[in-house]
């Protein structure tokens, strides 16, 4: 297998630098809008990860691994699961069933809102970290 020398595409690099902030902003929109419409943690996590995957494809894996390290990804995976689990445990400690969010605020409607937001945030963080980790695994030469 012949490996080609890495080429620098200035136009792609500049366009990528312009696009990545908008991709991240759209991911945050999907994350925060997931309570009221289509979207939520999984979709937002994949969109958020796609910005880092684009960065890796255009700027190279070495540079992307400096932006978000594999150690940080492992921490984010665990943090997302802990946010999800912590929401359920908190609702149980407050006297409700697992993932019954109605006890998380002064009334049931606000409790449901905050509970869904926390669970979707945990899912989003975990999916982002897992997708980037999968990209690192498939893109590495080892």
């Amino acid at each position: 297998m012949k490996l080609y020398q890495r080429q620098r595409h200035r136009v792609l690099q500049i366009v990528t630098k312009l696009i990545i902030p908008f991709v991240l902003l759209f991911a945050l929109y999907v994350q925060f809008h997931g309570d009221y419409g289509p979207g939520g943690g999984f979709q937002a996590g994949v969109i958020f990860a796609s910005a880092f995957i684009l960065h890796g494809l255009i700027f190279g894996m070495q540079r992307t691994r400096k932006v978000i390290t594999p150690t940080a990804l492992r921490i984010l995976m665990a943090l997302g699961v802990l946010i999800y689990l912590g929401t359920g445990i908190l609702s149980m400690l407050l006297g409700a069933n697992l993932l019954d969010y109605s006890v998380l605020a002064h009334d049931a409607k606000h409790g449901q809102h905050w509970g869904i937001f926390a669970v979707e945030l945990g899912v989003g963080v975990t999916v982002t970290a897992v997708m980037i980790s999968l990209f690192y695994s498939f893109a590495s030469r080892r």
Side-chain angles (χ1 to χ4, degrees):
M1 180 167 108
K2 184 176 180 182
L3 294 176
Y4 295 98
Q5 189 174 15
R6 182 149 188 84
Q7 298 177 354
R8 293 182 181 252
H9 297 284
R10 277 310 211 191
V11 174
L12 288 177
Q13 290 178 348
I14 291 170
V15 170
T16 299
K17 284 183 181 181
L18 292 172
I19 287 176
I20 285 177
F22 291 107
V23 172
L24 296 175
L25 184 65
F26 181 64
L28 290 174
Y29 169 77
V30 170
Q31 175 72 46
F32 291 117
H33 191 263
D35 299 1
Y36 302 109
F42 185 84
Q43 294 87 346
V46 172
I47 295 168
F48 207 83
S50 70
F52 290 97
I53 292 170
L54 175 65
H55 187 275
L57 292 173
I58 299 299
F59 294 104
M61 289 301 299
Q62 297 299 329
R63 195 163 164 190
T64 304
R65 285 181 189 259
K66 289 179 184 176
V67 172
I68 185 162
T69 64
T71 304
L73 290 174
R74 284 190 290 275
I75 291 169
L76 286 174
M77 281 185 241
L79 179 67
V81 172
L82 287 174
I83 292 171
Y84 188 99
L85 182 64
T87 305
I89 291 174
L90 180 62
S91 63
M92 286 176 58
L93 291 175
L94 293 174
N97 293 328
L98 180 69
L99 298 177
D100 179 14
Y101 317 121
S102 59
V103 295
L104 296 178
H106 60 281
D107 66 343
K109 183 178 178 183
H110 286 98
Q112 291 290 327
H113 175 74
W114 285 110
I116 290 171
F117 175 74
V119 165
E120 293 292 337
L121 181 65
V123 170
V125 170
T126 302
V127 168
T128 298
V130 168
M131 293 300 291
I132 297 171
S133 295
L134 286 172
F135 174 68
Y136 284 177
S137 297
F138 287 125
S140 68
R141 293 184 187 214
R142 290 187 251 164

